[in-house]
Amino acid sequence: MKRILKVIGILIMVVLLGAAVGLSYVSFALPDVGPAPELKVASNPAMVARGQYLANHVAVCIDCHSTRDWSLYSGPPKTGTFGQGGEIFDQNMGFPGKYFAPNITPEGIGHWTDGEIYRAITCGVAKDGRALFSIMPHIAYGKMSMEDATAIVAYIRALQPIKQEVPVSESDFPMNFIINTIPQKANHQPIPAKSDTLKYGEYMITMAACKDCHTRMEKGSYIEGMEYAGNMEFKMPNGVLRSANITPDKATGIGNWSKQAFISRFKMYQDAANIAKVDGKSMNSIMPWTMYAGMTEEDLGAIYSYLQSLKPIQQEVVKFSPH
């Protein structure tokens, strides 16, 4: 019996030692995406304009890194707050920690190098080596072309400086360990020719990270076979919001939508008259409609064509369940 207990004790010690080594590796060796590159973005007006378009209307970086006006439908960013950060994603919304969108104006990251900004956007690692939580879809951003990534860096550099202190994000256990395993090296893809509508649409929808919100997840991973079928839940102050099924299913998705109907659904929010006032009881949307509304009709049309090429998935979605 003593011999058996001794063997069991040794096994427990080995397991505990292995766990300790594993945690040490995850804590100190990860994330491992390499140092920030020695990158100097040669900014010019055309590059800044491209970056402004992408950061405001496709990748919508400015959506989270500004102050949103939740008294209006879809919480459009308030004028004069672009890039100042402060948007909170916490446990009340179902997140495994308290995450703050940082100040990305020159007042916030003016001391970062271009390479450090690029690495944060495309790999998910901050200047100090911290892993950034993937509420910022850096894995998707890492698939954009190098030209588009550097255009966004150029635009961020050109933002009006705004002085605003933003707290450092914190993860709850065990996300404080898991978060270090998420960042990965950029996997840049070339911008497809616009004439190749499906490839170009896939490129644009990836940068817009539509899959992140329109696909349900379990334990941090997409549910295989349910891509773009919606029903992802978002906790709102007055209820639970769910993302739409945007597969071409005719009964529960957008299979009956024409391309023009799809484009018009976005473009209607370019008109301020269509941005409804909302109260604390009405359904609101976290989708930044007013920002995506600035996407060109050609780009929205390519995204529509790509979505229509996908396998239809039948999934009924109840948009909103009030408390």
Side-chain angles (χ1 to χ4, degrees):
M1 179 61 73
K2 287 182 180 180
R3 191 173 183 182
I4 293 173
L5 290 174
K6 185 176 180 180
V7 171
I8 292 173
I10 292 171
L11 289 174
I12 291 172
M13 288 184 66
V14 169
V15 170
L16 291 174
L17 181 60
V21 170
L23 288 176
S24 295
Y25 174 77
V26 171
S27 298
F28 300 109
L30 298 179
D32 182 21
V33 299
E38 294 292 329
L39 177 68
K40 183 61 180 174
V41 174
S43 178
N44 59 63
M47 180 179 281
V48 172
R50 174 66 175 175
Q52 181 178 27
Y53 173 69
L54 298 176
N56 283 271
H57 306 301
V58 185
V60 293
C61 318
I62 296 303
D63 171 55
C64 290
H65 290 280
S66 306
T67 298
R68 298 177 71 175
D69 184 356
W70 290 109
S71 70
L72 297 174
Y73 185 70
S74 82
K78 294 181 179 179
T79 302
T81 72
F82 282 21
Q84 73 176 22
E87 190 79 4
I88 303 172
F89 305 88
D90 61 13
Q91 297 88 341
N92 294 325
M93 301 174 70
F95 290 97
K98 185 175 284 188
Y99 304 102
F100 299 89
N103 183 342
I104 58 171
T105 74
E107 280 287 346
I109 58 173
H111 60 295
W112 290 35
T113 67
D114 289 347
E116 287 165 347
I117 297 173
Y118 159 84
R119 184 179 65 169
I121 295 169
T122 62
C123 304
V125 177
K127 177 183 175 68
D128 61 5
R130 285 181 302 110
L132 300 172
F133 187 62
S134 50
I135 186 68
M136 181 182 78
H138 46 79
I139 294 174
Y141 293 165
K143 294 176 182 177
M144 71 175 83
S145 71
M146 188 66 179
E147 304 98 294
D148 279 346
T150 51
I152 291 176
V153 173
Y155 169 66
I156 289 172
R157 286 291 198 206
L159 286 171
Q160 185 70 29
I162 302 174
K163 187 179 289 291
Q164 171 160 280
E165 292 293 328
V166 177
V168 176
S169 298
E170 294 182 354
S171 296
D172 296 333
F173 178 82
M175 182 51 69
N176 58 330
F177 290 104
I178 296 171
I179 192 173
N180 293 325
T181 69
I182 299 174
Q184 55 184 250
K185 293 180 180 179
N187 179 25
H188 294 299
Q189 303 298 312
I191 304 173
K194 291 185 178 181
S195 57
D196 189 346
T197 307
L198 295 186
K199 281 288 185 185
Y200 184 71
E202 182 180 19
Y203 177 84
M204 295 306 291
I205 202 171
T206 299
M207 195 191 308
C210 304
K211 183 179 178 181
D212 279 28
C213 288
H214 289 275
T215 307
R216 285 179 58 206
M217 302 182 83
E218 283 184 356
K219 298 179 180 178
S221 299
Y222 296 121
I223 298 177
E224 191 173 348
M226 298 303 289
E227 293 81 2
Y228 296 103
N231 216 29
M232 180 85 159
E233 293 190 347
F234 302 90
K235 293 181 180 178
M236 303 291 279
N238 60 337
V240 177
L241 182 72
R242 299 175 186 85
S243 58
N245 181 346
I246 55 174
T247 73
D249 182 66
K250 293 183 181 297
T252 62
I254 60 170
N256 290 320
W257 289 40
S258 67
K259 180 181 288 188
Q260 191 54 53
F262 182 84
I263 293 171
S264 296
R265 180 71 173 88
F266 287 85
K267 287 297 183 181
M268 67 181 286
Y269 294 106
Q270 278 190 310
D271 184 352
N274 291 323
I275 314 302
K277 282 272 188 184
V278 293
D279 56 34
K281 297 178 182 178
S282 304
M283 186 192 85
N284 206 333
S285 175
I286 65 166
M287 180 161 165
W289 285 103
T290 61
M291 304 202 77
Y292 285 136
M295 210 183 303
T296 66
E297 291 198 9
E298 184 175 34
D299 288 353
L300 286 169
I303 287 174
Y304 168 85
S305 296
Y306 174 73
L307 288 172
Q308 291 296 315
S309 74
L310 300 177
K311 182 185 79 171
I313 300 172
Q314 186 167 20
Q315 177 162 256
E316 196 73 50
V317 174
V318 177
K319 275 189 177 182
F320 184 67
S321 299
H323 289 320

